Structure formats: structure tokens, C-alpha cells
Amino acid sequence: MERRSFLLSTSALALSQLLIGCGENNQPTLNVQLLKGSIPGQVVSQFSQGLKAQLKFAPVEQLEHLLEKLKDWQKKTNTKGSEWGFSFPFIGSNQKSATSDLVTMGDFWLTQAIGDKLIKPLDETKIKQWSALPKRWQNLVTRNEKGQIDPNGKVWAVPYRWGSTVIVYRRDKFQELGWTPTDWSDLWRNELKGRISVLEQPREAIGLVLKKLGQSYNQENLDKVPNLEKELVSLDRQVKFYSSTKYLEPLIVGDTWLAVGWSNDVVQTLGRYPQLAVVVPKSGTAIWADLWVSPAGKENGDLLYQWVDFCLTPQIAREISLLTKTNSPAIANLPKSDLQESLRNLLQMNTEVFDKSDFLLPLSPTATAQYQSLFARIQG
């Protein structure tokens, strides 16, 4: 699943330049590669206060790039760090690889990373805030050796922020219509023919139809879903275009009245364009999460666990949520005084809707091909 990162425009420190510590060789070091914009620099600065350690945080533009780095590190465990475009301190001459201690990973790739042995388990007993994390988030990252969700498995990652697929629409146009969208089924209304855009992703486009039909985004066999293709054909007649990157601009200028998009794209736009409003579909939606994972072959030191735990403390989780305009799994709600009204539907999804929503789990190769084939056929 493609998901774009966004730039964080706050007064926070630039993570691309963030190197904290006096550089003494005997100091512990924490090397982190993270999705750009997913952690405010000021949060890292707070963590460093009074800490006798070096912190090196390197932002990367796309989640896919971080996954590729994990693969490369696995293959080239004896390669020097300079080949990756940045340097790491070496402790002694027997350092095996220049991998980071922690890396951001999208939850969609967790199964693959475990199965391919790109990452190693974490010791949740060293994370003080772990027990306070809601069970659904604990379950998401508790997997067996094949990467499948297993309550008896090990903890392979820790989530630190999340978002969802949402509906964003023009207030003025819907005021004229006399109603506002609340669920996926509204996309089929006659008034919206040729007025909407949908993400150009088989899992997302087909997934929203599955939700309309009371099914899961993770349906393995589409042939077992009655009326699915008929509903998709009907939706396609409503769609002006499909795009995963250019769906907000046409909405802003009025070429479209409604778009299906990702919350992290949408929130940065809402504040600048008050004519836009957003809703999380009440029948449930797709949820994505950014996770901390530890590359295979690295020893998990105390500093790593201190940072992960720090991200889950209520006050810091609140800062991450507010400053990156996403949700934190460590807090259920944010004070209304902290939020613009337009953001509340995104950052305070009610429990009932959340319980109906799905993390996008990897499908079998057969099912993946089925989704791709059906989506291509509908578009053609």
C-alpha cells in the first residue's frame, strides 16, 4: 500500500540536522531512521535532556525506502555505514554492520519483515507503558515466526502513531445539496455522479466497497462476496478519476466535490481550506500505523527501550499526535481545546467506528492477484 509522507511545518527542530550528544566514544548511541515528519524534533530534544548519550535521527521520505534499507542491511552486514549516505559510530573493530537501532515501518509490511527475518522481536517487559497500550494495538504486533497475528507469539514492533482512510468533501457543494456524507454508501448517490475521486489502490477502492457490503478490507476470496463486481461497476460510474497523490487539488478548486483519501494527507490541508470538511465512514474504514522495529542482528540496548517507552508516555504521545496531526495508540482522546473543529473527526474516532475498522493485512498471492485483476477490469 502506497502512503505518502508529509512535511511537518512547526517550530520543531529539523530532524535532518539533529545530532545530540558530545561525541564521547564511551557514550551509548541511539541511531534511528524514521519516516520524515512522523516525530517532531522537539520531542527528540525533550528526550535528550539530561541524557548522557548520542542520538542520531535520520529522516527518510518514504516508508518503502526504509523497508529496502532493512533488506540491504540484511544482505550487507559487513558494509560500512558510509555507503548509506550517513555515518554511524562503531564500538570496537568487530562491529558487524552499520544498521540503525530502530526503524519506522508501516504495519502493512510487518508480516513480510518477520517472515524474511529483517527484524527481531522486542522485549515488552522493558517497555513500562506497554501494559497501558490498548489490547488491539498489542495484538497487532504480536506475531508468530511467520509474521501472522498470534496471541502466543512475540512482540515484533511498537506502534507510535496511526491514521485512517477518510472522506473529505466540499462544505459549500453539500450545503447546496442539503445533506452531508457520513458513510461509504453515500458515494453511490446520484448527485455525486462524476464528482468524486477514489484512491488508485486496489485494496482501498475494493475495500471501501467491501465495507459498504458489511465485509472486511482483508477479504481473501472476492468471488464469495455477492454483488461485489456489480457495486464496483456502479461506483466506477460515479468516479471522475482515480489518484493516490493528486486528489486534493481538484477538490480545492471545485472540479470534484468529494474525495477518498488518507488522513495524513488531509489534515495538513484542512486548516488552509475551510471549505473542506472530513468524515470517518461510520461503517468502518482502513487503518494504518507507523511502528518502531529493530533490525535483525542488532542488540537491543536500554536506550532503545527508553526511547520507545518515552513515545508512549501520555504527555509525549499527546505531543506527537497534535504536532503531526495523527492519532497515538497510547491515548484515547485529546482535549477539545487542543483541536481545531475540523480535526476532531480524524483524531477522535469513536470506539464503535474503530472497532468496525480494519488494519490492512497482507493477502495471499492468489488474493492479491484477484484484487489487482478486478480493479484493472473495472477501470478498463
Side-chain angles (χ1 to χ4, degrees), residues 315-347:
Q315 178 58 33
I316 297 304
R318 177 174 170 274
E319 288 187 32
I320 293 172
S321 184
L322 288 173
L323 292 176
T324 69
K325 293 183 174 62
T326 55
N327 304 273
S328 169
I331 49 176
N333 290 296
L334 292 167
K336 289 185 177 180
S337 59
D338 287 338
L339 297 175
Q340 300 174 21
E341 182 180 357
S342 59
L343 298 181
R344 289 177 191 162
N345 281 332
L346 288 175
L347 306 187

Side-chain angles (χ1 to χ4, degrees), residues 19 29 31 56 58 80-90 98 100:
L19 171 59
T29 301
N31 290 296
K56 296 187 177 183
K80 293 182 179 180
S82 59
E83 290 192 24
W84 305 112
F86 46 85
S87 61
F88 293 105
F90 285 79
S100 293

Side-chain angles (χ1 to χ4, degrees), residues 6-22:
F6 63 95
L7 302 180
L8 183 63
S9 72
T10 68
S11 59
L13 299 173
L15 274 175
S16 58
Q17 317 232 332
L18 189 53
L19 171 59
I20 299 175
C22 65

Side-chain angles (χ1 to χ4, degrees), residues 190-243:
N190 291 334
E191 306 97 302
L192 297 183
K193 187 172 183 178
R195 298 291 189 179
I196 71 176
S197 65
V198 171
L199 292 166
E200 194 173 17
Q201 299 283 331
R203 293 292 301 276
E204 292 282 7
I206 295 174
L208 73 86
V209 181
L210 289 168
K211 272 298 171 192
K212 177 179 183 284
L213 296 172
Q215 302 289 325
S216 167
Y217 273 83
N218 299 309
Q219 173 62 244
E220 272 282 340
N221 190 343
L222 299 183
D223 292 336
K224 290 185 176 181
V225 183
N227 298 319
L228 175 60
E229 186 163 347
K230 178 182 176 182
E231 292 282 1
L232 271 168
V233 170
S234 180
L235 176 64
D236 184 66
R237 295 192 185 111
Q238 301 285 94
V239 175
K240 186 169 186 176
F241 66 92
Y242 296 90
S243 175

Side-chain angles (χ1 to χ4, degrees), residues 97-149:
S97 70
T99 59
S100 293
D101 299 293
L102 275 178
V103 173
T104 299
M105 171 171 286
D107 64 295
F108 184 73
W109 291 290
L110 186 58
T111 298
Q112 177 186 347
I114 296 171
D116 292 346
K117 303 187 185 309
L118 303 181
I119 60 176
K120 62 181 297 183
L122 298 169
D123 184 354
E124 72 275 16
T125 65
K126 295 183 178 180
I127 305 172
K128 297 177 183 177
Q129 299 295 327
W130 177 259
S131 60
L133 202 63
K135 285 294 182 182
R136 188 171 187 185
W137 292 105
Q138 294 183 10
N139 294 341
L140 174 66
V141 295
T142 303
R143 311 281 183 111
N144 59 30
E145 297 292 332
K146 294 182 179 180
Q148 303 301 318
I149 292 177

Side-chain angles (χ1 to χ4, degrees), residues 14 22 39 51 98 141 162 166 180 185-186 208 219 224 282 285 291 319-320 337 376:
C22 65
I39 290 289
L51 193 67
V141 295
W162 65 275
V166 297
T180 56
S185 58
D186 291 323
L208 73 86
Q219 173 62 244
K224 290 185 176 181
K282 63 182 181 181
T285 187
L291 318 170
E319 288 187 32
I320 293 172
S337 59

